[in-house]
């Protein structure tokens, strides 16, 4: 009951239409794709926060609220994210289908017009965003950057990635840097907005029950603003150089320590890597959780993650500092055990069931479906969530071992907690 059609609307602009009658609403997601460097990452972090504050047609929070009420409170979101080394500026709106409105009104086109206003016609004064708004959002971003440093688990993971991917855009935090946040002016931020919306590659995702003709009609307010653009889809650079693993430790005032092991992989099979990660530390049934945490009692928390975009795998543990060597050896030994094929059929089936459920659950929510098909566009894949689940269900033991064999630890990082002295 889901039909997916991907088309090139014009140069640099593509549409993925996900036709389904599963939901009471339809969703339009517009994604501008950009580079990932220190300045651009900071721009992507600040832009949506500033844009949320109003547009030329609805310049105040009150007028925005009234318009949303007129449209039966549609779900409107402006945000940014990163996929590998690709920065994403996203504008998204969902609107109730006419069959679920009391007067049977069709509000889908007015909702798309509202989204277009918020994206393309922001509130501007003398060729710049409103200075007071920029200053408020600058402070909010600086607070987020500061809070990230206070979250020790997050800080340890970020520092491990910085060591693993030194000199690569992937090492830049998604919030950008405080230095760049302090430098960007209201005029520079607006210039970046104009450049991104006019020149960046665009991926539009539609999720709903309208046919192709109606979808094109609904998108007219956006397409009138989206001119053809000569651009190429940003790509993530994968570094598969095998390097000798090294250790680094930093001290921090905290009761708990955090161990993060950074690994590279040149695995070309997205689903085999995802399943191997599920076995390793991606689920409550994984080796890291059941063995390193539960059986060996070496950590408070223990999990792993795999980023196929970049070819990076990390394993993170919250530990007592005195358990560093034991926890490190425990994580590495479980990795090597799985790479050697020492896992049971029951473990494989449990991991498959867990991962398949994750893929299939994306079909239960329009936002999740929109995110899924954006990821497919960036990976040049046409797989549906059902395709992914089907592929996972067919992965063999040999394919799992082959995926695991590509994973090599390169950085062992310890953020060592030390209780502050009373002196």
């Amino acid at each position: 009951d889901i039909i997916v059609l991907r088309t090139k609307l014009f140069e640099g602009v593509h549409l993925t239409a996900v036709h389904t009658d599963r939901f009471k609403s339809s969703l339009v997601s517009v994604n501008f794709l950009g580079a990932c460097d220190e300045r651009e990452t900071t721009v992507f972090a600040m832009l949506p926060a500033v844009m949320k504050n109003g547009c030329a047609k609805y310049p105040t929070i009150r007028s925005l609220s009234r318009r949303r009420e007129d449209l039966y409170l549609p779900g409107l979101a402006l945000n940014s994210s990163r996929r590998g080394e690709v920065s994403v500026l996203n504008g998204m709106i969902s609107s109730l289908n006419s069959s679920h409105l009391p007067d049977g009104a069709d509000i889908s086109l007015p909702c798309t017009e509202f989204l277009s206003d918020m994206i393309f016609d922001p509130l501007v004064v003398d060729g710049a965003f409103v200075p007071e708004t920029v200053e408020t959002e600058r402070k909010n971003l600086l607070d987020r950057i500061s809070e990230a440093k206070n979250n020790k688990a997050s800080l340890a993971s970020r520092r491990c990635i910085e060591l693993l991917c030194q000199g690569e855009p992937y090492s830049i935090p998604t919030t950008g840097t405080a230095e760049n946040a302090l430098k960007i002016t209201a005029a520079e931020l607006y210039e970046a907005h104009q450049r991104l919306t006019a020149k960046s590659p665009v991926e539009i995702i539609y999720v709903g029950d309208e046919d192709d003709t109606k979808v094109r009609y609904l998108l007219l307010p956006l397409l009138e603003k989206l001119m053809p653009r000569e651009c190429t889809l940003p790509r993530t650079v994968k570094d598969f150089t095998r390097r000798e693993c090294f250790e680094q430790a930093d001290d921090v005032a905290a009761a708990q320590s955090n161990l993060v092991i950074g690994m590279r992989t040149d695995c070309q099979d997205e689903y085999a890597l995802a399943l191997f990660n599920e076995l390793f530390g991606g689920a409550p049934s994984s080796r890291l959780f059941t063995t390193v945490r539960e059986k060996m009692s070496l950590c408070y928390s223990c999990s792993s993650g795999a980023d196929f975009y970049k070819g990076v795998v990390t394993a993170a543990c919250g530990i007592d500092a005195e358990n560093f060597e034991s926890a490190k050896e425990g994580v590495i030994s479980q990795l090597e055990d799985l790479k050697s094929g020492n896992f049971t059929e029951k473990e494989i089936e449990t991991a498959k069931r867990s991962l398949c459920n994750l893929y299939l659950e994306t079909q239960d929510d329009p936002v999740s479906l929109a995110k899924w098909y954006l990821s497919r566009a960036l990976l040049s894949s046409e797989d549906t969530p059902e395709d992914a689940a089907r592929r996972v269900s067919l992965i063999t033991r040999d394919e799992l071992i082959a995926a695991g064999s590509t994973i090599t630890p390169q950085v062992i990082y310890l953020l060592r907690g030390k209780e502050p002295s009373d002196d």
Side-chain angles (χ1 to χ4, degrees):
D1 60 355
I2 294 181
I3 299 173
V4 182
L5 296 174
R6 178 169 168 79
T7 54
K8 181 178 178 179
L9 298 176
F10 33 81
E11 194 63 36
V13 180
H14 290 81
L15 166 67
T16 301
V18 184
H19 300 283
T20 176
D21 59 2
R22 289 188 174 195
F23 311 115
K24 296 179 179 180
S25 61
S26 60
L27 178 143
V28 174
S29 172
V30 185
N31 303 277
F32 300 89
L33 311 178
C36 177
D37 57 44
E38 281 195 4
R39 187 181 184 283
E40 200 76 339
T41 299
T42 309
V43 164
F44 272 82
M46 284 188 69
L47 254 184
V50 172
M51 292 164 66
K52 286 176 186 176
N53 283 272
C55 61
K57 192 178 289 186
Y58 309 106
T60 65
I61 297 298
R62 185 174 183 180
S63 60
L64 276 176
S65 298
R66 282 180 176 172
R67 184 54 180 155
R68 291 191 66 216
E69 289 173 4
D70 291 342
L71 298 174
Y72 297 91
L73 300 176
L76 174 69
L78 293 163
N79 51 56
S80 62
S81 61
R82 186 192 292 171
R83 305 296 179 98
E85 291 174 346
V86 178
S87 295
V88 182
L89 175 66
N90 169 261
M92 184 184 301
I93 197 163
S94 61
S95 57
L96 282 170
N97 297 338
S98 57
S99 59
H100 295 283
L101 291 174
D103 53 2
D106 186 347
I107 60 169
S108 49
L109 182 63
C111 281
T112 311
E113 290 173 341
F114 186 30
L115 178 62
S116 179
D117 290 335
M118 294 298 292
I119 292 175
F120 296 104
D121 296 309
L123 190 57
V124 176
V125 177
D126 297 327
F129 282 115
V130 179
E132 293 82 4
T133 301
V134 172
E135 288 308 313
T136 297
E137 298 306 337
R138 187 197 315 278
K139 181 181 181 302
N140 290 338
L141 178 58
L142 290 169
D143 287 344
R144 284 167 53 201
I145 293 172
S146 178
E147 288 167 6
K149 291 180 180 179
N150 292 329
N151 183 323
K152 304 311 179 191
S154 174
L155 178 60
S157 292
R158 184 162 64 80
R159 286 190 178 172
C160 180
I161 291 297
E162 288 173 354
L163 293 168
L164 181 68
C165 303
Q166 290 184 61
E168 301 172 54
Y170 195 76
S171 67
I172 302 167
T174 56
T175 54
T177 64
E179 181 182 3
N180 279 290
L182 288 167
K183 287 180 180 177
I184 293 175
T185 67
E188 289 172 337
L189 197 61
Y190 180 61
E191 183 278 328
H193 169 275
Q194 295 295 93
R195 170 173 47 81
L196 285 169
T197 54
K199 297 182 178 180
S200 294
V202 179
E203 290 288 337
I204 301 175
I205 316 292
Y206 167 82
V207 182
D209 63 357
E210 302 291 0
D211 60 28
D212 274 345
T213 302
K214 181 66 179 292
V215 170
R216 298 294 183 96
Y217 171 70
L218 296 179
L219 295 179
L220 279 177
L222 295 165
L223 300 183
E224 288 170 352
K225 302 283 187 177
L226 287 168
M227 296 297 102
R229 60 231 22 234
E230 292 186 9
C231 54
T232 56
L233 198 65
R235 295 295 180 188
T236 297
V237 177
K238 295 184 178 182
D239 180 357
F240 299 138
T241 307
R242 302 235 169 181
R243 299 181 177 88
E244 185 175 347
C245 187
F246 69 93
E247 295 184 13
Q248 180 167 318
D250 294 317
D251 293 334
V252 66
Q256 185 176 302
S257 299
N258 288 276
L259 163 66
V260 186
I261 301 178
M263 298 163 263
R264 298 271 195 176
T265 172
D266 59 359
C267 181
Q268 301 301 306
D269 188 333
E270 174 187 3
Y271 303 120
L273 179 63
L275 186 59
F276 187 91
N277 177 67
E278 200 78 3
L279 276 172
F280 179 42
S285 58
S286 67
R287 287 291 185 87
L288 293 188
F289 190 88
T290 60
T291 302
V292 180
R293 183 183 185 276
E294 296 295 303
K295 291 182 182 178
M296 302 172 73
S297 300
L298 291 174
C299 52
Y300 302 107
S301 59
C302 202
S303 62
S304 69
D307 185 342
F308 183 73
Y309 292 101
K310 182 63 179 173
V312 163
V313 177
T314 56
C317 307
I319 63 172
D320 290 325
E322 59 267 24
N323 287 335
F324 167 64
E325 289 294 338
S326 298
K328 176 187 72 176
E329 291 170 7
V331 172
I332 297 296
S333 68
Q334 291 306 311
L335 175 65
E336 294 303 320
D337 206 40
L338 291 172
K339 288 169 69 173
S340 299
N342 293 325
F343 45 82
T344 66
E345 290 301 315
K346 182 179 179 181
E347 284 180 292
I348 297 175
E349 290 308 312
T350 300
K352 283 184 176 182
R353 186 163 54 250
S354 172
L355 189 57
C356 286
N357 285 340
L358 283 176
Y359 288 138
L360 294 175
E361 283 170 2
T362 64
Q363 299 182 123
D364 298 334
D365 171 55
V367 174
S368 297
L369 272 175
K371 290 179 178 179
W372 171 266
Y373 284 104
L374 174 62
S375 74
R376 296 306 91 193
L378 292 174
L379 292 171
S380 300
S381 167
E382 297 182 354
D383 288 349
T384 67
E386 288 184 344
D387 291 334
R390 191 178 304 111
R391 174 68 185 94
V392 167
S393 70
L394 297 174
I395 291 173
T396 65
R397 173 179 288 271
D398 287 343
E399 287 173 319
L400 268 175
I401 295 171
S405 70
T406 67
I407 301 173
T408 56
Q410 294 191 1
V411 176
I412 296 173
Y413 179 74
L414 175 66
L415 187 62
R416 184 168 42 219
K418 289 202 168 184
E419 294 281 8
S421 63
D422 296 329
D423 298 338

